[in-house]
Every structure is written in C-alpha cells, then in structure tokens.
Amino acid sequence: MTPRRRRATGRGRRAQRNEAARLTDQLIAEGFNKKQVGEILGRNPSLVSQFFTKNKGASMVDALRAVVQEVQAGGPRDLASLKALAAAHIQPRLNREGYKAQVRKPNHARAEKTVKDRKGRTVLDDKGKPVKAWTSSLAKAGKQHIASGASRLRPVVEEAAANRGKIAFTVRARKGAFKHDAGRAADSPGVRRNVVKRTDGTEERAYAENTGGPGSGEQGFDAVQFKAMVDAASGDVAVAVRSWLVMTGRLDPEAPIVGLEIRAWKTNL
C-alpha cells in the first residue's frame, strides 16, 4: 500500500527556532554573518550557532532585539557601535542558585610576539613567514586532572625554563588547609594578592617570589629552578607544588590540592 503523503504543517526546523535564532536571522538578512553577530554580542561565534542547534541564547534576546531595531531603523552598522549597544542589554548567565555564574575560561593559553631586528623590521624564517617568540603561557588543572598527573601543566614549565622566564602559581585547597594568614604579601607580590574564597569551603591563594619587596609587581620563581623541582617530582607539577607548600609550612601535609593554575612569562622582552 502506497504511504499517504504528509501535508506541510509549518513545523519544520525554521518554525521551531527560538527568539534568539529568529533575531539572528534578521541580522543575517541585513548582511551580517554569524561571526559578526558573535562579535557584536561579545561571544564566541559557536554560541550563535547554538541558537539554532541547541536552543540557546535566551540571555541574548534583549541585546539582539536592540541591535535589530537599530539596524532596521537606519542607525550605525559598524560593529563597534552595535557591540556597545548590545552590551547594555546582555543579561548575565545565572547558576542554579540564581546568582551570577562565573565566566568559563580556557584551561590553557599561550602568547607570543613577532621578532624584530635592530632596525625594527620583522624577522622572517626560511619560508618567508614572520618569526615569533614565546612571551607567556598559562595552564589550569582541576581535581581530576591533578589526580592523573596534571600533564597539561608541564609544557608551561618547560617552555618558561627554556626561555629563562618566571613562574607564578595559584593553588586551590580547603580553607583550613592553609597555615599562613590570608593575603600575605610575602607570597603574592602583585600576582592576585587577594585570596579568592569559594562557596564550597575552598579558597585560592597565589604564590610568587617577592624579591623586590611589597608592591614591586610580578617577581615570580625562576623557571629553571622551578623545573628542577618538577623534575625531582617525576615531572608532576602538582606534586612539586604541594611538596613545596608543605615543606615551607604553608599547607597541611594531609590536605589535597583541588585546583592549580601555572602562569609563566618572559622577563627580557
């Protein structure tokens, strides 16, 4: 028996799009693309795609509506103006308790600069491409990653040591596990001086060598010496940091580290 042909009901994907996707469609019709919409909203373009695929974007509706109205009314179309307009209408993301959620940050980052010669000209490699040199990097590890060896932290230490750089780090542990006063200047001279307290009973504390005295800025640990400490811990950065904290009387020997951030930078820029 021949199957009956279904009648069109208008219930396709386009009809099911949420308000954020519908408004984005209007901006696309005005000549913008999803990457530009993301820039206007101050978000990654992948989030704009999720308006269509994952029904996201509820917090962006007011901003999108304001931008659409501005464009359709013949107002400024440059991204800087529209981004400033959207920023005033974007609602912050809330967590389950109704408080403003923390912005998610990448677990690792790396920065470099283009190398210049003495006359200020860009140095090129044998393929004619600009030569770039490492300037700074960062990596984070949570509880599970620390338990498995925190492998993403080691490259930051190795690159800093190879470039004779400096290292600072932030440790997260149970509040009562730290054995010194919060905000101690000898530990955090300009690198996240204030202790960050968490609602789960943990807190974050930053550490860097204070060779220049309070207020002297990011001094940091010597990366070569820091790498030697990590090598002595079989390459496990978290173990090396925890050993140093315990040895210097800063952390309870029984307390585990539940979060660690390593920051490195080059001083002779």
Side-chain angles (χ1 to χ4, degrees):
M1 182 176 179
T2 304
R4 296 168 54 186
R5 181 179 299 177
R6 294 184 178 181
R7 292 170 20 178
T9 60
R11 297 180 181 178
R13 179 174 293 182
R14 182 173 294 275
Q16 295 175 355
R17 287 179 177 173
N18 62 17
E19 184 69 2
R22 188 185 68 80
L23 292 167
T24 300
D25 267 340
Q26 293 186 35
L27 288 176
I28 292 174
E30 291 288 340
F32 297 91
N33 56 42
K34 290 182 180 179
K35 181 179 180 181
Q36 291 172 322
V37 174
E39 185 174 345
I40 290 170
L41 297 174
R43 298 293 189 274
N44 190 292
S46 64
L47 175 62
V48 179
S49 295
Q50 291 175 25
F51 295 169
F52 300 85
T53 61
K54 296 185 178 180
N55 201 36
K56 292 189 176 183
S59 64
M60 303 291 168
V61 168
D62 289 344
L64 285 166
R65 185 176 291 116
V67 172
V68 168
Q69 292 174 352
E70 183 76 4
V71 170
Q72 292 181 343
R77 297 176 64 93
D78 62 285
L79 298 185
S81 298
L82 295 177
K83 184 175 182 179
L85 174 64
H89 294 83
I90 292 177
Q91 300 297 321
R93 185 173 61 87
L94 303 179
N95 57 23
R96 293 179 180 178
E97 289 74 30
Y99 297 103
K100 183 178 178 180
Q102 293 182 348
V103 177
R104 296 185 181 93
K105 298 181 179 179
N107 289 324
H108 54 84
R110 186 180 185 278
E112 54 189 14
K113 72 170 185 176
T114 301
V115 178
K116 304 283 186 178
D117 61 17
R118 293 182 178 181
K119 294 183 178 180
R121 296 173 299 191
T122 299
V123 177
L124 304 178
D125 61 17
D126 55 359
K127 295 182 180 180
K129 295 183 179 181
V131 175
K132 295 186 177 182
W134 172 84
T135 57
S136 65
S137 54
L138 171 151
K140 300 178 182 179
K143 185 176 182 179
Q144 292 183 343
H145 193 60
I146 289 174
S148 64
S151 58
R152 75 167 65 102
L153 303 179
R154 186 170 174 80
V156 175
V157 176
E158 292 179 339
E159 195 161 33
N163 288 275
R164 313 291 296 187
K166 296 286 188 178
I167 287 178
F169 56 88
T170 297
V171 177
R172 183 175 179 180
R174 178 173 47 83
K175 181 179 179 181
F178 294 98
K179 297 300 182 182
H180 59 88
D181 295 336
R184 181 177 174 183
D187 284 330
S188 306
V191 184
R192 296 190 178 184
R193 174 74 59 80
N194 297 324
V195 171
V196 179
K197 298 182 182 297
R198 300 297 185 185
T199 57
D200 61 356
T202 64
E203 64 184 35
E204 296 177 358
R205 297 198 181 189
Y207 300 89
E209 188 179 73
N210 186 20
T211 57
S216 60
E218 298 181 350
Q219 297 298 323
F221 295 94
D222 179 83
V224 175
Q225 297 178 5
F226 194 92
K227 182 179 180 298
M229 185 172 66
V230 172
D231 290 341
S234 301
D236 192 319
V237 179
V239 170
V241 168
R242 187 179 181 282
S243 297
W244 180 83
L245 291 170
V246 172
M247 180 182 65
T248 57
R250 290 170 166 84
L251 187 72
D252 185 335
E254 302 299 323
I257 293 177
V258 298
L260 180 60
E261 176 183 295
I262 301 292
R263 300 179 298 281
W265 64 94
K266 193 173 182 178
T267 56
N268 56 335
L269 297 177

Coordinates of all heavy atoms in Angstrom, one line a residue, residues 18-28 30 32-34 36-43 47-52 56-72 82-83 85-91:
N18 N 14.1 29.5 18.2 CA 13.8 30.3 19.3 C 13.9 31.8 18.9 O 14.3 32.1 17.8 CB 14.6 29.9 20.5 CG 16.1 30.1 20.3 OD1 16.5 30.8 19.4 ND2 16.9 29.5 21.1
E19 N 13.7 32.7 19.9 CA 13.7 34.1 19.6 C 15.1 34.6 19.2 O 15.3 35.4 18.3 CB 13.2 34.9 20.8 CG 13.0 36.4 20.6 CD 11.9 36.7 19.6 OE1 11.3 35.9 19.1 OE2 11.8 38.0 19.3
A20 N 16.1 34.0 19.9 CA 17.5 34.5 19.6 C 17.9 34.1 18.2 O 18.5 34.9 17.4 CB 18.5 33.8 20.6
A21 N 17.5 32.9 17.7 CA 17.8 32.5 16.4 C 17.0 33.3 15.4 O 17.5 33.7 14.3 CB 17.4 31.0 16.2
R22 N 15.7 33.6 15.7 CA 14.9 34.4 14.8 C 15.5 35.8 14.6 O 15.5 36.3 13.5 CB 13.5 34.5 15.3 CG 12.5 35.1 14.4 CD 11.1 35.3 15.0 NE 11.2 36.3 16.1 CZ 11.2 37.6 15.9 NH1 11.1 38.1 14.6 NH2 11.2 38.5 16.9
L23 N 15.9 36.4 15.7 CA 16.5 37.7 15.6 C 17.9 37.7 14.8 O 18.2 38.6 14.1 CB 16.7 38.3 17.0 CG 15.4 38.7 17.7 CD1 15.7 38.9 19.2 CD2 14.7 39.9 17.1
T24 N 18.6 36.6 15.1 CA 19.9 36.5 14.3 C 19.6 36.3 12.8 O 20.4 36.9 12.0 CB 20.6 35.2 14.8 OG1 20.9 35.4 16.2 CG2 21.9 35.0 14.1
D25 N 18.5 35.6 12.5 CA 18.2 35.5 11.1 C 17.9 36.9 10.5 O 18.3 37.1 9.3 CB 16.9 34.6 10.9 CG 17.2 33.2 10.7 OD1 18.3 32.9 10.2 OD2 16.4 32.3 11.0
Q26 N 17.3 37.8 11.2 CA 17.0 39.1 10.7 C 18.3 39.9 10.5 O 18.4 40.6 9.5 CB 16.1 39.8 11.7 CG 14.7 39.3 11.8 CD 13.8 40.1 12.7 OE1 13.9 41.3 12.7 NE2 12.9 39.5 13.4
L27 N 19.3 39.7 11.4 CA 20.6 40.4 11.2 C 21.3 39.8 9.9 O 22.0 40.5 9.2 CB 21.5 40.2 12.4 CG 21.0 41.0 13.6 CD1 21.9 40.7 14.8 CD2 21.1 42.5 13.3
I28 N 21.2 38.5 9.8 CA 21.8 37.8 8.6 C 21.2 38.4 7.3 O 21.9 38.6 6.3 CB 21.7 36.3 8.7 CG1 22.5 35.8 9.8 CG2 22.1 35.6 7.4 CD1 22.4 34.3 10.1
E30 N 20.1 41.3 7.0 CA 20.6 42.6 6.8 C 22.1 42.7 6.3 O 22.7 43.7 6.2 CB 20.5 43.4 8.1 CG 19.1 43.7 8.5 CD 18.4 44.7 7.7 OE1 19.1 45.5 7.0 OE2 17.2 44.8 7.7
F32 N 24.8 40.7 7.8 CA 25.7 40.3 8.8 C 25.9 38.8 8.8 O 25.0 38.1 8.3 CB 25.3 40.7 10.2 CG 25.3 42.2 10.4 CD1 24.1 42.9 10.2 CD2 26.4 43.0 10.8 CE1 24.0 44.3 10.4 CE2 26.3 44.3 11.0 CZ 25.1 45.0 10.8
N33 N 27.0 38.3 9.2 CA 27.2 36.8 9.3 C 27.2 36.4 10.8 O 27.3 37.3 11.7 CB 28.4 36.3 8.6 CG 29.7 37.0 9.0 OD1 29.9 37.3 10.2 ND2 30.6 37.4 8.1
K34 N 27.3 35.1 11.1 CA 27.2 34.7 12.5 C 28.5 35.1 13.3 O 28.4 35.4 14.5 CB 27.1 33.1 12.5 CG 25.7 32.7 12.0 CD 25.6 31.1 12.1 CE 24.2 30.7 11.7 NZ 24.1 29.2 11.7
Q36 N 30.1 37.9 12.9 CA 29.9 39.3 13.2 C 28.8 39.4 14.3 O 29.0 40.3 15.2 CB 29.5 40.1 12.0 CG 30.6 40.2 11.0 CD 30.1 40.8 9.7 OE1 29.0 40.6 9.2 NE2 30.9 41.7 9.1
V37 N 27.8 38.6 14.3 CA 26.8 38.6 15.4 C 27.5 38.3 16.7 O 27.2 38.9 17.7 CB 25.6 37.7 15.1 CG1 24.7 37.6 16.2 CG2 24.9 38.1 13.8
G38 N 28.3 37.3 16.7 CA 29.0 36.9 17.9 C 29.9 38.0 18.4 O 30.0 38.2 19.6
E39 N 30.6 38.7 17.5 CA 31.4 39.8 17.9 C 30.6 40.9 18.5 O 31.0 41.6 19.5 CB 32.2 40.4 16.7 CG 33.2 41.4 17.1 CD 34.1 41.8 15.9 OE1 34.1 41.1 14.9 OE2 34.7 42.9 16.0
I40 N 29.4 41.2 17.9 CA 28.5 42.2 18.5 C 28.1 41.9 19.9 O 28.0 42.7 20.8 CB 27.3 42.4 17.6 CG1 27.7 43.0 16.2 CG2 26.2 43.2 18.2 CD1 26.6 43.0 15.2
L41 N 27.8 40.6 20.1 CA 27.4 40.1 21.4 C 28.5 39.9 22.4 O 28.3 39.7 23.6 CB 26.6 38.8 21.3 CG 25.3 38.9 20.5 CD1 24.7 37.5 20.3 CD2 24.3 39.8 21.1
G42 N 29.8 40.0 21.9 CA 30.9 39.8 22.8 C 31.0 38.3 23.1 O 31.5 38.0 24.2
R43 N 30.6 37.4 22.2 CA 30.6 36.0 22.5 C 31.3 35.3 21.3 O 31.4 35.8 20.2 CB 29.2 35.4 22.7 CG 28.5 36.0 23.9 CD 29.1 35.6 25.2 NE 28.3 35.9 26.4 CZ 28.4 37.1 27.0 NH1 29.2 38.0 26.5 NH2 27.6 37.3 28.0
L47 N 28.6 30.1 19.9 CA 27.4 30.2 20.7 C 26.2 30.7 19.8 O 25.1 30.2 20.0 CB 27.6 31.3 21.8 CG 26.4 31.6 22.6 CD1 25.8 30.4 23.3 CD2 26.7 32.8 23.6
V48 N 26.5 31.5 18.8 CA 25.5 32.0 17.9 C 24.9 30.8 17.1 O 23.7 30.6 16.9 CB 26.0 33.0 16.9 CG1 24.9 33.4 15.9 CG2 26.6 34.2 17.7
S49 N 25.8 29.8 16.7 CA 25.3 28.6 16.0 C 24.4 27.8 16.9 O 23.5 27.2 16.5 CB 26.5 27.8 15.6 OG 27.3 28.5 14.6
Q50 N 24.7 27.8 18.2 CA 23.9 27.1 19.2 C 22.5 27.7 19.4 O 21.6 27.0 20.0 CB 24.6 26.9 20.5 CG 25.9 26.1 20.4 CD 26.7 26.0 21.7 OE1 26.2 26.2 22.8 NE2 28.0 25.7 21.6
F51 N 22.3 28.9 19.0 CA 20.9 29.5 19.0 C 20.0 28.6 18.1 O 18.9 28.4 18.4 CB 20.9 30.9 18.4 CG 21.7 31.9 19.2 CD1 21.9 33.2 18.7 CD2 22.2 31.7 20.5 CE1 22.6 34.2 19.4 CE2 22.9 32.6 21.2 CZ 23.1 33.9 20.6
F52 N 20.6 28.1 17.0 CA 19.8 27.3 16.1 C 19.8 25.8 16.4 O 18.9 25.1 16.1 CB 20.4 27.5 14.7 CG 20.4 29.0 14.2 CD1 21.4 29.8 14.6 CD2 19.4 29.4 13.4 CE1 21.4 31.1 14.1 CE2 19.3 30.8 13.0 CZ 20.3 31.6 13.4
K56 N 19.8 27.7 22.5 CA 20.4 28.6 23.5 C 20.2 30.1 23.0 O 19.7 30.4 22.0 CB 21.9 28.3 23.6 CG 22.2 27.0 24.3 CD 23.7 26.9 24.6 CE 24.0 25.6 25.3 NZ 25.4 25.4 25.7
G57 N 20.6 31.0 23.9 CA 20.6 32.4 23.6 C 19.5 33.3 24.3 O 19.3 34.4 24.0
A58 N 18.8 32.7 25.3 CA 17.7 33.4 26.0 C 18.3 34.7 26.6 O 17.6 35.7 26.6 CB 17.1 32.5 27.0
S59 N 19.5 34.7 27.1 CA 20.0 35.9 27.8 C 20.5 36.9 26.8 O 20.8 38.0 27.2 CB 21.2 35.5 28.7 OG 22.3 34.9 27.9
M60 N 20.5 36.6 25.5 CA 20.9 37.5 24.4 C 19.8 38.2 23.7 O 20.0 39.0 22.8 CB 21.8 36.8 23.4 CG 23.0 36.1 24.0 SD 24.2 37.3 24.6 CE 25.3 36.2 25.6
V61 N 18.5 37.8 24.0 CA 17.4 38.2 23.2 C 17.2 39.7 23.3 O 17.0 40.4 22.2 CB 16.1 37.5 23.7 CG1 14.9 38.2 23.1 CG2 16.1 36.1 23.3
D62 N 17.3 40.3 24.5 CA 17.2 41.8 24.6 C 18.2 42.5 23.8 O 17.9 43.5 23.1 CB 17.2 42.2 26.0 CG 16.0 41.8 26.8 OD1 15.0 41.4 26.2 OD2 16.0 41.8 28.1
A63 N 19.5 42.0 23.8 CA 20.6 42.7 23.1 C 20.3 42.5 21.6 O 20.5 43.5 20.8 CB 21.9 42.1 23.5
L64 N 19.9 41.3 21.2 CA 19.7 41.1 19.7 C 18.6 42.0 19.2 O 18.6 42.6 18.1 CB 19.4 39.6 19.5 CG 20.6 38.7 19.5 CD1 20.1 37.2 19.6 CD2 21.5 38.9 18.3
R65 N 17.5 42.1 20.0 CA 16.3 42.9 19.6 C 16.7 44.4 19.5 O 16.3 45.0 18.5 CB 15.2 42.7 20.6 CG 13.9 43.4 20.2 CD 12.8 43.2 21.2 NE 12.3 41.8 21.1 CZ 12.4 40.9 22.1 NH1 13.0 41.3 23.3 NH2 12.0 39.7 22.0
A66 N 17.6 44.9 20.4 CA 18.0 46.3 20.3 C 18.9 46.5 19.1 O 18.7 47.5 18.4 CB 18.8 46.6 21.6
V67 N 19.7 45.5 18.8 CA 20.6 45.7 17.6 C 19.8 45.6 16.3 O 20.0 46.4 15.4 CB 21.7 44.6 17.6 CG1 22.4 44.6 16.3 CG2 22.6 44.8 18.8
V68 N 18.8 44.7 16.2 CA 18.0 44.6 15.1 C 17.2 45.9 14.8 O 17.1 46.4 13.7 CB 17.0 43.4 15.2 CG1 15.9 43.4 14.1 CG2 17.7 42.1 15.1
Q69 N 16.6 46.4 15.9 CA 15.9 47.7 15.8 C 16.8 48.8 15.3 O 16.3 49.6 14.5 CB 15.2 48.0 17.1 CG 14.1 47.1 17.5 CD 13.6 47.3 18.9 OE1 14.1 48.1 19.7 NE2 12.5 46.7 19.3
E70 N 18.0 48.9 15.8 CA 18.9 49.9 15.4 C 19.3 49.8 13.9 O 19.3 50.8 13.2 CB 20.2 49.8 16.3 CG 21.2 50.9 16.0 CD 20.9 52.3 16.6 OE1 19.8 52.3 17.3 OE2 21.6 53.2 16.4
V71 N 19.5 48.6 13.5 CA 19.9 48.4 12.1 C 18.7 48.7 11.2 O 18.9 49.4 10.1 CB 20.4 46.9 11.9 CG1 20.6 46.6 10.4 CG2 21.7 46.7 12.6
Q72 N 17.6 48.2 11.5 CA 16.4 48.3 10.6 C 15.9 49.8 10.6 O 15.3 50.2 9.7 CB 15.3 47.4 11.1 CG 15.6 45.9 10.9 CD 14.4 45.0 11.3 OE1 13.6 45.4 12.1 NE2 14.5 43.8 10.9
L82 N 27.5 48.8 17.4 CA 26.5 47.8 17.7 C 26.9 47.0 19.0 O 26.0 46.5 19.8 CB 26.3 46.9 16.5 CG 25.7 47.6 15.3 CD1 25.5 46.6 14.1 CD2 24.3 48.2 15.6
K83 N 28.2 46.7 19.1 CA 28.7 46.0 20.3 C 28.4 46.8 21.6 O 28.0 46.2 22.6 CB 30.1 45.7 20.1 CG 30.7 44.8 21.3 CD 32.2 44.5 21.0 CE 32.7 43.6 22.1 NZ 34.1 43.2 21.9
L85 N 26.1 49.0 22.0 CA 24.6 48.9 22.2 C 24.2 47.6 22.8 O 23.4 47.6 23.8 CB 23.9 49.1 20.8 CG 22.4 49.0 20.9 CD1 21.7 50.1 21.7 CD2 21.8 49.1 19.4
A86 N 24.7 46.5 22.3 CA 24.3 45.2 22.8 C 24.7 45.0 24.2 O 24.0 44.4 25.0 CB 24.9 44.1 21.9
A87 N 25.9 45.5 24.6 CA 26.5 45.3 25.9 C 25.6 45.8 27.0 O 25.5 45.2 28.1 CB 27.8 46.0 26.1
A88 N 24.8 46.8 26.7 CA 23.9 47.4 27.7 C 22.6 46.6 27.9 O 21.9 46.8 28.9 CB 23.5 48.8 27.3
H89 N 22.4 45.6 27.1 CA 21.2 44.8 27.2 C 21.5 43.3 27.5 O 20.5 42.5 27.6 CB 20.4 44.9 25.8 CG 19.9 46.2 25.6 ND1 20.7 47.2 25.0 CD2 18.7 46.8 25.8 CE1 20.0 48.3 24.8 NE2 18.8 48.1 25.3
I90 N 22.7 42.9 27.6 CA 23.0 41.5 27.8 C 22.8 41.1 29.2 O 23.4 41.8 30.1 CB 24.4 41.1 27.3 CG1 24.6 41.3 25.8 CG2 24.8 39.7 27.8 CD1 25.9 41.0 25.3
Q91 N 22.0 40.1 29.5 CA 21.8 39.7 30.8 C 22.8 38.6 31.2 O 23.1 37.7 30.5 CB 20.4 39.0 30.9 CG 19.2 40.0 30.6 CD 19.2 41.1 31.5 OE1 19.3 41.0 32.7 NE2 18.9 42.3 31.0

